[in-house]
Amino acid sequence: MMTDTAADSVALPPVAPEVTAALARALSPRLRKRLDAAAAKLAARPRSTDGATVRIAVDDDTTLELHAPTGAVATADAIRCGCLLAPDCVHRAAVAALAPVAEERPEDESEAAAAAAEAADTPGGPGDPDAPPAAPVPDTSAVASAPAGPDRSAAATVLWQAGAAVLESGIEGAGALLQAELLHAAHAARLAGLYRPAALAVATVNGLRAARAADPGHRLAELTATVQELLLVCHALRRPPAPGGPDHAALRGTARRPYTPGGSLRLYGLCCEPVLARSGHAGVVTWTVDADGALFALPDVAPGGAARAAGAARRTVRLGDAACTHQELARGGLIVSGATVSPDRRLGAGRGVRAVRAQGVPWHEEPAAALWRTPLDQQIARALDTAEPGSAAGLIFTDLTVLGPVREPGAPDVLAAACAGLTVRIAPADEHQDLAHRHNLRRLAATPGLRLRVIARLVPAGHPRLRLLAAGPVPGTEPGPGLRAPVDLGYHRLQCADLTGTDLPGPAASHASNTAPAPPEPAAAPLHLLRRRTQAALAAGRPALAQPGSVETDRQRLRHAGLSTAADLLDELHRAAADRTRDVFGRLRPADAERFALAWLAADHYGDRAARALCAAAWALPDPARVA
């Protein structure tokens, strides 16, 4: 049955990246110039659904159709337009550029896709009936076993050039046509067996679209990190492996996340972590611990945004016959037989897995209590060593005491806390208004002296900084101020009834109270002078750094702070941006995109490594005997 609705209430089906690229490339030069305007016009047009078909009213007499029987548009023929210029019109390419990108493999936290891939030959497998249909997973066995060689190097080079073009144009200039070129390069990279860089390219496109649409979830720092990783991986892959160099197999990635038998497990819930992945996926990851103290993740992540992340904790766990939601599992437990486990400790949902609901344990009882007994310096080192921001290795288990809110430019919801003899700043794990993190930090900041046992993630910075995922009572603190029971700070909005030993003021009280100045930055804080330049380049493109003007002041500040390498990298970045030679007729030659991309990559990668080194120094914990 057909349903007519407003444009913003009918979601477009995801479109395979090669389809978007092919439609954009087929346009005439004149229509390519109109592609962004056409996409913006289609975004506001009425939509309707009829089974697996979404229809858009281009005008009173013309309809555009997207046919997605498997949940995603897999071929160009599945997008049909009724205008006179079809199939060579701009409308087909415009709607493909407007629709979400159908990812060809689960690269981030998409457990739904991973489970579908693992149990692809199992009809009627476990799953949520409300979940969207999974996109088809192409047969990649041939390319997965293809020998490494010039094809992979060439594919990495093309993807590098597409990423360099993003830096050249900046976010504002990275319209639908440039995005289509990046998707085309990503598809070619995947066919060559370069799965990780292909997924990073798709994540870059998603980030560009969010930025250009002024999505509240867009973060320039996150998009910068994605582009940096894309260029870093492609730069290494376009050259032959060298002894002692990066592992090309790890850089290429795998077509599917491997799962190995894990036997029987007795799991105890810890917390639910909302996920808003840079790949365009959203949902929840529920963290559990087994009887031996090992962490395991049960994700439920699929294409979507903040609304899906906000509601995912109430969805049923995708594992065997476990009749519980993720929220219930976080305070309960599971008994699993025939478990399958990925290298990053994710539990698979294949046909042989059986699971039933069981009792959980409080955080102060075994086996959960052992997580908080691990020395904090070991946890910090482990978190800094992991390359995956959402991995189990990045979780921090510690106790802290709230000191109150602090003032930070552009960050109103930050509090200070005492932790292991250090003053630590606590920031929201996610600032999206659909999640409860910001609300809860304001509540906590309004109660100085509040003692908390927390699960957090480390934020690499020049000062001790954490993002809280969950908080609970510290054993032995009664009747002092504390929480009655563990809560997931992304989902549960704290109320007065959640606290013991004090009355919890409203969130406005934290802003009305006296805020303390932020703890002083370390001497190396001017590192942000380099970071803001690399982010400005991505935001506005190479010309933004090529404008006349001296960087001498920033360079002197960096050298004065002992960051001479950062000063040299900043200097080279600006020289590469401004260097334009002329031909024999005095005309400007095209900018050297290769040189600028290399200079940008060197500066941003250095900033990452320096930030991690400063973070390790900031967390140099005092001697426990002296603290006591």
Side-chain angles (χ1 to χ4, degrees), residues 398-479:
T398 189
D399 296 341
L400 53 82
T401 302
V402 173
L403 300 178
V406 295
R407 294 189 298 268
E408 278 193 2
D413 302 309
V414 177
L415 63 86
C419 175
L422 298 173
T423 299
V424 179
R425 284 184 247 186
I426 308 297
D430 195 286
E431 296 182 0
H432 201 285
Q433 61 184 4
D434 288 353
L435 301 174
H437 295 292
R438 295 180 62 182
H439 166 90
N440 288 333
L441 279 197
R442 292 180 184 181
R443 291 279 190 175
L444 296 175
T447 313
L450 185 68
R451 295 201 63 197
L452 301 173
R453 171 156 287 191
V454 301
I455 301 175
R457 287 202 178 275
L458 179 69
V459 180
H463 56 268
R465 194 177 187 92
L466 297 173
R467 298 187 186 274
L468 297 191
L469 305 181
V474 178
T477 59
E478 298 81 359

Side-chain angles (χ1 to χ4, degrees), residues 510-524:
S510 66
H511 295 282
S513 62
N514 292 327
T515 58
E521 293 277 4

Side-chain angles (χ1 to χ4, degrees), residues 167 220-221 224-225 228 523-539 545 551-559 561-577 596-612 614:
L167 287 178
L220 180 58
T224 303
Q228 184 216 123
L527 183 65
H528 74 276
L529 299 174
L530 182 63
R531 271 295 173 81
R532 75 181 183 186
R533 302 284 179 161
T534 58
Q535 292 184 8
L538 179 59
L545 297 187
V551 296
E552 186 61 32
T553 301
D554 288 352
R555 187 164 54 235
Q556 287 181 357
R557 289 184 61 187
L558 289 169
R559 292 191 185 281
L563 298 173
S564 57
T565 301
D568 292 341
L569 290 171
L570 177 61
D571 199 31
E572 169 59 18
L573 179 63
H574 277 265
R575 284 202 305 267
F596 180 67
L598 286 171
W600 184 92
L601 178 59
D604 203 62
H605 184 57
Y606 169 86
D608 255 0
R609 304 313 300 175
R612 290 182 178 275
L614 292 173

Side-chain angles (χ1 to χ4, degrees), residues 148-193:
D151 288 346
R152 284 180 174 171
S153 177
T157 299
V158 172
L159 197 49
W160 162 274
Q161 292 169 347
V166 171
L167 287 178
E168 175 70 21
S169 63
I171 291 173
E172 289 304 315
L177 195 59
L178 193 151
Q179 294 170 25
E181 291 299 317
L182 191 53
L183 292 176
H184 175 77
H187 180 62
R190 178 174 174 79
L191 293 179

Side-chain angles (χ1 to χ4, degrees), residues 21 31 131 190 212:
L31 291 180
R190 178 174 174 79
R212 291 171 59 84

